Amino acid sequence: MKTSRSLLFSSLLLLPACALARQGTNEPLDAAVIRSLQPGKTTAREVVERLGAPTEVVQLGRRTAYRYDASATKSTALILLLVNFANQDTRTDRLWVFFDENNLLTHHGAWYGTHRPQYAMPWEDVHEAEDNAEADAERPGVVQ
Amino acid sequence: MKGAAAALLALLAAGCVQGEYNRITVDEPLREELVAPLRPGMDTLAHCLAQLGAPHRVFEYRVGQDGTSGAALLWVWREAAGWGVDVSGGSDEASASFSFNLADTELPGCVLWFGPDLVLERWQRGTLGDLLPGRQRPSPQPAD
Protein backbone atom coordinates (compact mmCIF):
# COMPACT_ATOMS: atom_id res chain seq x y z
CA MET A 1 0.00 0.00 0.00
CA LYS A 2 2.77 2.33 1.00
CA THR A 3 4.64 1.52 -2.22
CA SER A 4 1.64 2.15 -4.43
CA ARG A 5 0.99 5.51 -2.74
CA SER A 6 4.60 6.48 -3.31
CA LEU A 7 4.33 5.46 -6.93
CA LEU A 8 1.12 7.43 -7.37
CA PHE A 9 2.67 10.50 -5.76
CA SER A 10 5.78 10.18 -7.91
CA SER A 11 3.77 9.83 -11.10
CA LEU A 12 1.71 12.91 -10.20
CA LEU A 13 4.94 14.88 -9.92
CA LEU A 14 5.93 13.84 -13.39
CA LEU A 15 2.59 14.54 -15.05
CA PRO A 16 2.38 17.58 -17.27
CA ALA A 17 0.19 20.55 -16.43
CA CYS A 18 -1.56 23.06 -18.61
CA ALA A 19 -2.40 26.64 -17.83
CA LEU A 20 -4.77 28.96 -19.62
CA ALA A 21 -5.24 32.62 -18.93
CA ARG A 22 -7.12 35.47 -20.46
CA GLN A 23 -6.67 39.17 -19.91
CA GLY A 24 -7.84 42.33 -21.56
CA THR A 25 -7.76 46.08 -21.44
CA ASN A 26 -10.82 48.23 -22.10
CA GLU A 27 -14.12 47.04 -23.51
CA PRO A 28 -14.13 45.80 -27.10
CA LEU A 29 -15.23 48.54 -29.48
CA ASP A 30 -18.88 48.56 -30.48
CA ALA A 31 -19.11 48.15 -34.25
CA ALA A 32 -22.70 49.43 -34.34
CA VAL A 33 -21.74 52.66 -32.61
CA ILE A 34 -18.77 53.11 -34.93
CA ARG A 35 -20.99 52.58 -37.96
CA SER A 36 -23.22 55.42 -36.71
CA LEU A 37 -20.37 57.93 -37.07
CA GLN A 38 -20.91 60.16 -40.10
CA PRO A 39 -18.08 62.20 -41.58
CA GLY A 40 -19.20 65.79 -42.16
CA LYS A 41 -21.99 65.48 -39.59
CA THR A 42 -20.79 63.91 -36.35
CA THR A 43 -18.96 66.23 -33.97
CA ALA A 44 -16.14 65.46 -31.54
CA ARG A 45 -18.57 65.99 -28.68
CA GLU A 46 -20.96 63.39 -30.10
CA VAL A 47 -18.13 60.92 -30.58
CA VAL A 48 -17.13 61.30 -26.92
CA GLU A 49 -20.76 60.99 -25.82
CA ARG A 50 -21.06 57.70 -27.71
CA LEU A 51 -17.64 56.17 -27.11
CA GLY A 52 -16.41 57.81 -23.93
CA ALA A 53 -13.01 59.33 -23.36
CA PRO A 54 -10.38 58.41 -25.93
CA THR A 55 -7.13 56.67 -25.05
CA GLU A 56 -5.10 59.32 -26.84
CA VAL A 57 -5.61 62.69 -28.50
CA VAL A 58 -3.15 63.73 -31.20
CA GLN A 59 -2.80 67.23 -32.59
CA LEU A 60 -2.31 67.30 -36.36
CA GLY A 61 -1.79 71.00 -37.05
CA ARG A 62 -5.29 72.44 -36.88
CA ARG A 63 -6.81 68.99 -36.97
CA THR A 64 -7.08 66.49 -34.16
CA ALA A 65 -7.31 62.70 -34.05
CA TYR A 66 -8.62 60.54 -31.22
CA ARG A 67 -7.58 56.96 -30.58
CA TYR A 68 -9.86 54.37 -29.00
CA ASP A 69 -8.54 50.87 -28.35
CA ALA A 70 -8.99 47.63 -26.48
CA SER A 71 -6.93 44.48 -26.29
CA ALA A 72 -7.47 40.82 -25.49
CA THR A 73 -4.75 38.30 -24.68
CA LYS A 74 -4.99 34.54 -24.47
CA SER A 75 -2.08 32.74 -22.83
CA THR A 76 -1.39 29.04 -22.92
CA ALA A 77 1.31 27.09 -21.12
CA LEU A 78 2.32 23.45 -21.14
CA ILE A 79 4.35 22.84 -18.02
CA LEU A 80 6.57 19.79 -18.04
CA LEU A 81 9.23 18.72 -15.60
CA LEU A 82 12.26 20.08 -17.39
CA VAL A 83 10.83 22.35 -20.02
CA ASN A 84 7.82 24.63 -20.44
CA PHE A 85 6.10 25.77 -23.61
CA ALA A 86 4.15 29.00 -23.51
CA ASN A 87 2.24 31.05 -26.00
CA GLN A 88 0.66 34.45 -25.69
CA ASP A 89 -1.59 35.81 -28.41
CA THR A 90 -2.78 39.41 -28.22
CA ARG A 91 -5.08 41.23 -30.61
CA THR A 92 -6.48 44.72 -30.49
CA ASP A 93 -9.54 46.69 -31.47
CA ARG A 94 -8.59 50.11 -32.74
CA LEU A 95 -10.49 53.18 -33.85
CA TRP A 96 -9.09 56.48 -35.03
CA VAL A 97 -11.38 59.44 -35.60
CA PHE A 98 -10.11 62.57 -37.31
CA PHE A 99 -11.63 66.02 -36.82
CA ASP A 100 -11.17 69.31 -38.65
CA GLU A 101 -10.49 72.61 -36.92
CA ASN A 102 -14.22 72.93 -36.18
CA ASN A 103 -14.24 69.56 -34.40
CA LEU A 104 -16.32 67.99 -37.15
CA LEU A 105 -15.54 64.37 -38.03
CA THR A 106 -13.71 64.11 -41.34
CA HIS A 107 -12.42 60.51 -41.35
CA HIS A 108 -12.52 57.40 -39.26
CA GLY A 109 -11.04 53.94 -39.48
CA ALA A 110 -11.55 50.89 -37.29
CA TRP A 111 -9.97 47.50 -36.80
CA TYR A 112 -11.53 44.71 -34.77
CA GLY A 113 -9.26 42.03 -33.37
CA THR A 114 -10.14 41.33 -29.73
CA HIS A 115 -12.29 38.34 -30.75
CA ARG A 116 -9.40 36.71 -32.62
CA PRO A 117 -6.73 35.67 -30.10
CA GLN A 118 -6.32 31.93 -29.70
CA TYR A 119 -5.27 29.49 -27.03
CA ALA A 120 -2.47 27.78 -28.90
CA MET A 121 0.88 26.13 -28.52
CA PRO A 122 3.89 28.15 -29.69
CA TRP A 123 4.36 26.02 -32.79
CA GLU A 124 0.79 26.53 -34.02
CA ASP A 125 -0.08 29.19 -36.58
CA VAL A 126 -2.40 31.73 -34.99
CA HIS A 127 -2.80 33.90 -38.08
CA GLU A 128 -4.61 31.50 -40.36
CA ALA A 129 -7.29 33.15 -42.48
CA GLU A 130 -9.81 30.39 -41.75
CA ASP A 131 -9.44 30.89 -38.00
CA ASN A 132 -9.89 34.63 -38.38
CA ALA A 133 -12.96 34.16 -40.59
CA GLU A 134 -14.46 31.75 -38.07
CA ALA A 135 -13.89 34.22 -35.24
CA ASP A 136 -15.23 37.12 -37.32
CA ALA A 137 -18.44 35.20 -37.99
CA GLU A 138 -19.12 35.10 -34.27
CA ARG A 139 -18.79 38.85 -33.83
CA PRO A 140 -21.72 40.57 -35.51
CA GLY A 141 -21.10 43.70 -37.50
CA VAL A 142 -17.40 43.11 -37.95
CA VAL A 143 -16.17 43.02 -41.52
CA GLN A 144 -12.41 43.35 -41.96
CA MET B 1 31.76 17.88 -10.13
CA LYS B 2 29.40 15.35 -8.65
CA GLY B 3 28.16 17.95 -6.19
CA ALA B 4 27.45 20.45 -8.95
CA ALA B 5 25.59 17.84 -10.97
CA ALA B 6 23.56 16.85 -7.95
CA ALA B 7 22.73 20.49 -7.23
CA LEU B 8 21.64 21.05 -10.84
CA LEU B 9 19.53 17.92 -10.76
CA ALA B 10 17.91 19.06 -7.54
CA LEU B 11 17.12 22.48 -9.03
CA LEU B 12 15.68 20.88 -12.16
CA ALA B 13 13.61 18.43 -10.17
CA ALA B 14 12.28 21.19 -7.94
CA GLY B 15 11.22 23.23 -10.95
CA CYS B 16 13.52 26.09 -9.95
CA VAL B 17 15.41 25.90 -13.23
CA GLN B 18 13.51 24.99 -16.34
CA GLY B 19 14.02 25.34 -20.02
CA GLU B 20 11.25 27.24 -21.74
CA TYR B 21 10.11 28.02 -25.21
CA ASN B 22 7.94 31.13 -25.41
CA ARG B 23 6.18 32.80 -28.26
CA ILE B 24 4.44 36.15 -28.09
CA THR B 25 2.30 37.47 -30.92
CA VAL B 26 0.66 40.86 -30.90
CA ASP B 27 -1.70 41.67 -33.75
CA GLU B 28 -1.20 40.56 -37.31
CA PRO B 29 1.22 41.72 -39.97
CA LEU B 30 -0.28 44.21 -42.41
CA ARG B 31 -0.98 42.09 -45.47
CA GLU B 32 1.23 42.88 -48.44
CA GLU B 33 -1.62 42.47 -50.91
CA LEU B 34 -3.46 45.33 -49.19
CA VAL B 35 -0.52 47.71 -49.05
CA ALA B 36 1.09 47.07 -52.43
CA PRO B 37 -1.78 48.46 -54.54
CA LEU B 38 -1.83 51.81 -52.71
CA ARG B 39 -1.02 54.67 -55.08
CA PRO B 40 1.03 57.58 -53.73
CA GLY B 41 -0.25 60.89 -55.09
CA MET B 42 -3.68 59.41 -55.69
CA ASP B 43 -5.09 57.56 -52.71
CA THR B 44 -6.64 59.55 -49.90
CA LEU B 45 -6.63 59.01 -46.16
CA ALA B 46 -10.25 57.85 -46.37
CA HIS B 47 -9.37 55.23 -48.99
CA CYS B 48 -6.38 53.93 -47.03
CA LEU B 49 -8.35 53.69 -43.78
CA ALA B 50 -11.07 51.77 -45.63
CA GLN B 51 -8.49 49.38 -47.08
CA LEU B 52 -6.27 48.84 -44.06
CA GLY B 53 -8.42 49.67 -41.06
CA ALA B 54 -7.16 51.69 -38.14
CA PRO B 55 -3.45 52.07 -37.51
CA HIS B 56 -1.84 51.65 -34.11
CA ARG B 57 -0.50 55.18 -33.91
CA VAL B 58 -0.88 58.52 -35.71
CA PHE B 59 1.80 61.19 -35.70
CA GLU B 60 1.94 64.79 -36.86
CA TYR B 61 3.94 65.08 -40.06
CA ARG B 62 5.19 68.04 -42.10
CA VAL B 63 3.76 70.88 -40.05
CA GLY B 64 3.51 74.01 -42.19
CA GLN B 65 3.97 77.67 -41.20
CA ASP B 66 0.25 78.17 -41.69
CA GLY B 67 -0.61 75.55 -39.06
CA THR B 68 -1.51 72.80 -41.49
CA SER B 69 -0.06 69.37 -41.02
CA GLY B 70 0.08 66.00 -42.65
CA ALA B 71 -0.15 62.73 -40.79
CA ALA B 72 1.95 59.60 -40.49
CA LEU B 73 0.04 56.41 -39.74
CA LEU B 74 1.88 53.49 -38.15
CA TRP B 75 0.90 49.83 -38.09
CA VAL B 76 3.03 47.61 -35.92
CA TRP B 77 2.99 43.96 -34.94
CA ARG B 78 5.10 41.54 -32.99
CA GLU B 79 5.98 37.89 -33.32
CA ALA B 80 8.81 36.79 -31.07
CA ALA B 81 9.72 33.24 -30.15
CA GLY B 82 12.71 31.64 -28.58
CA TRP B 83 14.24 29.34 -26.06
CA GLY B 84 15.29 30.48 -22.65
CA VAL B 85 16.01 29.36 -19.14
CA ASP B 86 13.59 30.22 -16.41
CA VAL B 87 15.42 30.34 -13.11
CA SER B 88 12.62 31.64 -10.95
CA GLY B 89 9.78 29.33 -11.94
CA GLY B 90 7.74 32.25 -13.18
CA SER B 91 7.69 34.24 -16.36
CA ASP B 92 7.87 38.00 -16.65
CA GLU B 93 6.54 37.88 -20.18
CA ALA B 94 3.00 37.30 -18.99
CA SER B 95 2.81 40.61 -17.19
CA ALA B 96 4.46 42.42 -20.08
CA SER B 97 1.85 41.14 -22.45
CA PHE B 98 0.35 44.01 -24.35
CA SER B 99 1.70 47.38 -25.27
CA PHE B 100 4.10 48.12 -28.00
CA ASN B 101 7.30 49.73 -26.99
CA LEU B 102 7.85 52.15 -29.85
CA ALA B 103 11.45 52.53 -28.75
CA ASP B 104 11.97 48.89 -29.76
CA THR B 105 13.73 49.50 -33.06
CA GLU B 106 13.48 45.85 -34.12
CA LEU B 107 9.68 45.65 -34.22
CA PRO B 108 8.29 45.24 -37.73
CA GLY B 109 5.81 47.80 -38.97
CA CYS B 110 4.52 49.88 -41.83
CA VAL B 111 4.07 53.65 -42.09
CA LEU B 112 1.93 55.63 -44.50
CA TRP B 113 2.74 59.32 -44.83
CA PHE B 114 0.02 61.77 -45.87
CA GLY B 115 0.58 65.40 -46.83
CA PRO B 116 -1.50 68.31 -45.51
CA ASP B 117 -4.10 67.56 -48.22
CA LEU B 118 -4.37 64.04 -46.69
CA VAL B 119 -3.31 62.37 -49.93
CA LEU B 120 -0.85 59.51 -49.62
CA GLU B 121 2.72 60.64 -50.26
CA ARG B 122 4.53 57.34 -49.66
CA TRP B 123 4.55 54.20 -47.61
CA GLN B 124 7.26 51.95 -46.29
CA ARG B 125 7.56 48.64 -44.48
CA GLY B 126 10.47 47.90 -42.22
CA THR B 127 11.54 47.96 -38.61
CA LEU B 128 10.60 50.82 -36.32
CA GLY B 129 14.26 51.82 -36.26
CA ASP B 130 14.05 52.53 -39.99
CA LEU B 131 10.52 53.88 -40.03
CA LEU B 132 10.66 56.24 -37.07
CA PRO B 133 14.32 57.21 -36.77
CA GLY B 134 13.54 60.76 -35.68
CA ARG B 135 11.41 59.58 -32.80
CA GLN B 136 14.13 57.62 -31.05
CA ARG B 137 15.63 58.98 -27.92
CA PRO B 138 19.15 60.28 -28.44
CA SER B 139 21.94 58.23 -26.99
CA PRO B 140 23.26 59.55 -23.71
CA GLN B 141 26.23 61.86 -24.17
CA PRO B 142 29.49 60.36 -22.98
CA ALA B 143 30.75 61.92 -19.80
CA ASP B 144 33.77 64.18 -20.22
Side-chain angles (χ1 to χ4, degrees), chain B residues 23-105:
Chain B
R23 180 181 65 176
I24 294 178
T25 51
V26 183
D27 281 326
E28 299 160 54
L30 204 54
R31 300 205 320 262
E32 185 66 32
E33 64 266 29
L34 294 178
V35 184
L38 298 178
R39 298 162 302 174
M42 299 275 290
D43 288 332
T44 62
L45 175 64
H47 174 80
C48 294
L49 288 171
Q51 291 298 305
L52 307 178
H56 287 85
R57 294 288 186 276
V58 172
F59 304 110
E60 203 170 39
Y61 163 67
R62 278 211 313 153
V63 184
Q65 296 285 347
D66 56 354
T68 60
S69 163
L73 277 55
L74 167 71
W75 283 258
V76 62
W77 54 93
R78 182 181 180 198
E79 179 145 13
W83 286 97
V85 175
D86 181 10
V87 179
S88 64
S91 172
D92 292 337
E93 295 286 4
S95 58
S97 59
F98 170 68
S99 79
F100 287 110
N101 177 8
L102 296 186
D104 183 345
T105 56

Side-chain angles (χ1 to χ4, degrees), chain A residues 7-103:
Chain A
L7 277 172
L8 178 65
F9 184 69
S10 304
S11 63
L12 280 175
L13 284 176
L14 293 171
L15 283 175
C18 289
L20 301 175
R22 182 176 183 157
Q23 60 188 123
T25 53
N26 297 336
E27 287 293 314
L29 299 178
D30 188 331
V33 172
I34 292 170
R35 273 202 309 278
S36 75
L37 305 178
Q38 291 180 289
K41 287 187 179 174
T42 308
T43 64
R45 180 182 182 146
E46 288 168 334
V47 168
V48 172
E49 281 171 356
R50 293 178 204 176
L51 291 167
T55 308
E56 183 186 13
V57 175
V58 176
Q59 194 75 39
L60 301 170
R62 293 173 186 156
R63 303 182 184 106
T64 51
Y66 295 2
R67 171 165 64 97
Y68 290 88
D69 59 14
S71 74
T73 300
K74 287 184 178 176
S75 305
T76 316
L78 174 63
I79 302 158
L80 303 174
L81 188 63
L82 299 179
V83 65
N84 300 332
F85 296 94
N87 187 73
Q88 194 171 67
D89 187 20
T90 299
R91 312 292 176 96
T92 58
D93 284 354
R94 307 183 298 274
L95 168 69
W96 278 94
V97 283
F98 296 80
F99 301 101
D100 65 13
E101 55 197 353
N102 300 312
N103 287 323

